[in-house]
Each structure stands twice: as C-alpha cells, then as structure tokens.
Amino acid sequence: MNSHHTARSRWMRHLAVAACAALLPTVAACAPPGSGGSASGPAAPVEVSTDLGADPIELTLYDGAGLKKIDEALIAAFTEIHPNVTITARYDPDDVQAVNAPRVISSANPPDIARIIALPAAVNNDQLTSLDPWAQAYGWNDLPAGQLAMYRVDENGVRGSGQQYTMASGFTVTGLYYNKELARRIGMTEPPKTLSEFETALASAKAAGILPIMAGNKNAQVTFAVQMMLNTSLGRDAMNDWVFNAPGATLDTPTAVDAASVVADWAQQGYYPEDTNGTDATTAAGRFAEGEGLFYASGNWDSSTLQTKLGDNVGFMLPPTRDGSVLAMSDPVSNFAIPSGSDNKNAAAAFLDFLSSNAGRQVAVDAGFAPSGNGDVPATEPGSLGAEVQDAFSRLVDGNGQVQFVQNATNGMTGTWLPQVQMLVADRTTPAEMMSAIQSAYEQDLLK
C-alpha cells in the first residue's frame, strides 16, 4: 500500500506542515487580463496551509456536464472527510466547456476548481495558480512522472516540465477489447503483446472469415491505430513532446509516415469494416458486443457495456508494441486547476490532494475510470472486465507508458485528424500526404 496516502502518514505530514507553515512560500495570484474579467491587480498573498479548520468554507467547481457523476461522487467523499466544506458544482455542455473555460475562469467570480483543456494558454494569460507550494506541502512530487508531466508548463508555454498547475480527477486508459470465442477459433490463446503477434492474429482472422478490427471511423476511431503505431515507432517521449508542443516537434518524418503506412495497409487488406467511415463509435461498440470483430480499439468507458453484453467472452489488452513494452493513450478525465481569482486556494488544493488519495482513487474506479496517483489497484469485482482494465492501467503506470492523445495537441486537432483518417482508410490520401497535412495544421494552430 502507498504510505503517502495512509491515514497515519497523512496525519503526521499535516502536523509537520502546520508546524512549519510560516516557512512555506506564499502564492501571489495575479488577476487575469481582460477577456470578461473585472478584477485587476494582484490578489492577496496566500499562506499555504493544509489545515482547513472548522469554519464553514464554500467552494465552486466547474466541469463538463458529462463528468457530473464522477464529480458528485468525489465531492461527496471529500466533504464527508471535511464536513465544514461545501462544494457547489456548475457545468457546461461537454462540446463547449473547453471554449467557455477561459471566460469562466477569468470572470469577476471565478470557480475555485476548474477543468482546463488548453493549459498553456491559461498559464500564459495568468489565469491559473501555480500549485508548486501545495505540491511541496502535500508531497505531490512523488506522483508518477508521466502524470506530473501532464500537469506542468514551463516558462515558454511547453507542457511536460516547469511549474505544476493541475491535478487529474482520474484517467482514461485505452487498449483493445477482444472476443475470446473468436480468438479461440484462430488459435489465439493469449492476447498478443508484440506488433508481430498482433498482425499474425489479424491475418488469421481475415483468413477465417472473421472481421479483424471493428472501428467506427465516423468518429475517427482509426486514429487509435495510427497513434498506436506512432507510439511504438517514435516512442513515448517524442509523442508526448508533440502533444505538449515542444519546439521542433513534428510528425512529418519518414518514421511517422511508415507508421501510418501500416494502418493504411490494414485498411487495404480489409481488416476494418467496409462501412467504417459511415459507422459511429456507439454503433461500432454495439456491433462488437454482438460478436462482430476479433478486436475493438477503445477505452475504459466501454468496459461496463461490453461486460454486460459479452460476459466472460471479452478480454482487454494494452496496445501491442514492436518490442512488447507498455505504451497506451491515457488522458486526465478532468485536469483540475485553481483559477487565479479563487478566494479559497487552500481548500481547493486540499480537494486536489484528495484526488490521488486512496479514497479518491476508489471513487474514480467506481465511476469507471482509472485512478490518479500511486497506490494499490483500487477494489473492483474480482475477475471482471473492469478489474482487467484496472490491472492493465496499473502496468501502464508502472512502466511509465502513458501517452496523451494526439487530438489534444491543439484545440483544432480533432477536426484535423477526422478527415485525414477517413481519407486514409478510403485510399484517398497517402500516409505521407496525411502526416504532412496534420503537421501543417498543427503548426498553424500553434500560431493562433
């Protein structure tokens, strides 16, 4: 068990922090410029404390509406520990939350905790509070390195290093679901770990009249396969550098083109449904649940439905790689930050700390996500598909293999990848043209 979040170590640490609070740095939170905010000038310095006392504290939390279930569960669990704290949540529709967030967090009455998508922009606009003082107080520096990279921004606006500004409520984890009955029909006795083993399974399925890969490419699900190949071809660091907007990062390289060529070959060999470009993700999941397809690339969000439909006949595996290493797309559910204008930064930071506690990790898993931070795998139903997903995520974290989704590189990347992967499977573009178009759009987005 991770001692960082045991009750005893937390209590002892809080006593130590309280004893030396005067030695900790203070945080001067500057009001954000313009953009609907009426506040101006620096906010009062904050003396960092992990003691929330007994007086009533009111916090507000801002997120996307689709995450209301996990947020409400986290709030309930946190306020049970801190009954003097009340957290009121407000939500925007998921498709506009990222667009509205800059205005919301820079308003005259900003939330105390807010989900942030465009992290570098918010940091550059002085809209967020640096969490470094609380990271010192709570010991966040011992969180998994791959997760900390997602929370940090340097002085040049590049993610991956620098000061910490966010903490995740939990994580998504992606991989491949597989139909065990169909696997037995082709002699696949265990999930493939290497790309070579995976391609052997795909060819065997096609030869046996079984659809190798179910995908709803109306929602760009083939992007999963492209990034799977990019991850294993370019490596974790290069992929995260691209998503984090590191200087000089590019996907317009011979290696990246070769990676996309593998997926183009799969499409030409008929490994995807003929109607994949007209099939959405929900329909694809339903067809896989009805027994169509050996593999289905998706994430933790489909585990409950597939368990209900397929029972013990479905398994989950991390994406195969060339050398059998662990790499998978895994993003924060909500990357929560404390807006600069928050009046309750210490209480907001206590909520962020709770997210990676044993109790907070259990809430995330109960809501169907993977947990934030370190520790034992939270409790799941033994032998269930959910337990298999959580075990896979634990291996991913232990192997430092979390890679952010390529669509998160810029605000416009989702709209760029969709037509490109659709044209790729329809043989209407080449892998070289595709990667050139994606890199060009990426660079244009970064100039905006």
Side-chain angles (χ1 to χ4, degrees):
M1 179 175 294
N2 181 0
S3 62
H4 173 67
H5 284 299
T6 62
R8 178 173 176 82
S9 66
R10 182 182 292 272
W11 173 244
M12 294 300 292
R13 188 176 66 248
H14 284 192
L15 285 177
V17 169
C20 64
L23 300 178
L24 290 174
T26 58
V27 180
C30 298
S35 188
S38 60
S40 61
V46 176
E47 183 177 296
V48 173
S49 175
T50 61
D51 183 1
L52 301 190
D55 293 338
I57 298 173
E58 295 185 359
L59 298 176
T60 54
L61 180 148
Y62 172 65
D63 206 345
L67 297 168
K68 183 177 182 181
K69 177 182 176 182
I70 182 175
D71 289 349
E72 289 181 341
L74 287 167
I75 289 169
F78 176 78
T79 53
E80 183 177 355
I81 299 171
H82 300 284
N84 61 314
V85 180
T86 300
I87 302 179
T88 302
R90 57 173 291 192
Y91 300 95
D92 270 337
D94 292 317
D95 58 349
V96 299
Q97 189 273 332
V99 175
N100 289 346
R103 172 182 54 80
V104 171
I105 64 177
S106 64
S107 68
N109 187 29
D112 300 289
I113 303 159
R115 182 189 190 206
I116 302 298
I117 301 295
L119 182 56
V123 171
N124 185 58
N125 290 329
D126 295 324
Q127 294 172 317
L128 303 181
T129 303
S130 169
L131 300 180
D132 279 5
W134 289 279
Q136 177 185 344
Y138 284 111
W140 294 343
N141 288 333
D142 67 356
L143 293 172
Q147 294 178 17
L148 280 172
M150 301 181 194
Y151 308 152
R152 290 175 166 163
V153 178
D154 69 14
E155 63 276 9
N156 297 313
V158 178
R159 294 172 61 204
S161 63
Q163 296 187 66
Q164 181 176 347
Y165 289 93
T166 59
M167 181 79 86
S169 59
F171 286 89
T172 61
V173 56
T174 59
L176 290 150
Y177 292 98
Y178 61 95
N179 185 305
K180 294 180 180 179
E181 179 183 348
L182 297 181
R184 285 192 292 270
R185 282 172 51 184
I186 65 167
M188 190 182 106
T189 58
E190 59 182 11
K193 292 183 176 64
T194 66
L195 182 61
S196 176
E197 293 170 349
F198 181 64
E199 292 197 297
T200 295
L202 296 180
S204 297
K206 181 67 176 177
I210 298 169
L211 177 69
I213 310 173
M214 173 54 67
N217 206 35
K218 188 175 182 179
N219 299 113
Q221 280 194 323
V222 172
T223 304
F224 173 93
V226 176
Q227 185 168 1
M228 181 181 81
M229 290 307 308
L230 289 170
N231 287 350
T232 192
S233 298
L234 275 69
R236 180 202 64 209
D237 292 345
M239 289 305 298
N240 276 334
D241 280 351
W242 192 80
V243 178
F244 292 164
N245 307 151
T250 180
L251 293 184
D252 190 7
T253 67
T255 302
V257 170
D258 287 345
S261 296
V262 172
V263 181
D265 288 343
W266 292 349
Q268 295 312 305
Q269 292 178 63
Y271 288 175
Y272 291 104
E274 291 184 0
D275 61 349
T276 186
N277 279 348
T279 302
D280 61 32
T282 301
T283 301
R287 286 166 60 175
F288 178 76
E290 293 298 323
E292 186 180 352
L294 173 60
F295 294 105
Y296 174 59
S298 185
N300 56 281
W301 51 88
D302 277 328
S303 64
S304 178
T305 298
L306 294 179
Q307 176 85 81
T308 299
K309 295 283 189 179
L310 289 166
D312 294 338
N313 193 37
V314 61
F316 180 83
M317 56 176 275
L318 290 173
T321 55
R322 293 190 187 279
D323 59 3
S325 59
V326 290
L327 291 169
M329 288 79 83
S330 177
D331 276 345
V333 178
S334 286
N335 219 7
F336 281 131
I338 302 176
S340 297
S342 166
D343 294 325
N344 298 289
K345 291 183 171 64
N346 281 319
F351 179 81
L352 298 190
D353 181 62
F354 172 77
L355 300 177
S356 60
S357 69
N358 287 337
R361 286 163 57 82
Q362 187 66 58
V363 169
V365 170
D366 290 345
F369 297 101
S372 178
N374 295 302
D376 294 338
V377 178
T380 51
E381 182 181 348
S384 67
L385 185 60
E388 203 169 334
V389 171
Q390 296 302 332
D391 286 341
F393 181 74
S394 181
R395 295 196 306 275
L396 182 67
V397 173
D398 287 345
N400 195 18
Q402 287 179 270
V403 183
Q404 289 228 255
F405 283 84
V406 288
Q407 293 98 317
N408 292 339
T410 71
N411 287 336
M413 272 296 103
T414 295
T416 298
W417 278 94
L418 175 59
Q420 290 299 323
V421 295
Q422 288 179 338
M423 290 191 294
L424 186 72
V425 299
D427 198 23
R428 291 171 48 207
T429 190
T430 68
E433 291 169 342
M434 173 183 175
M435 301 318 296
S436 176
I438 287 170
Q439 184 64 26
S440 177
Y442 172 84
E443 293 172 4
Q444 289 298 313
D445 284 351
L446 293 181
L447 291 175
K448 293 178 182 178

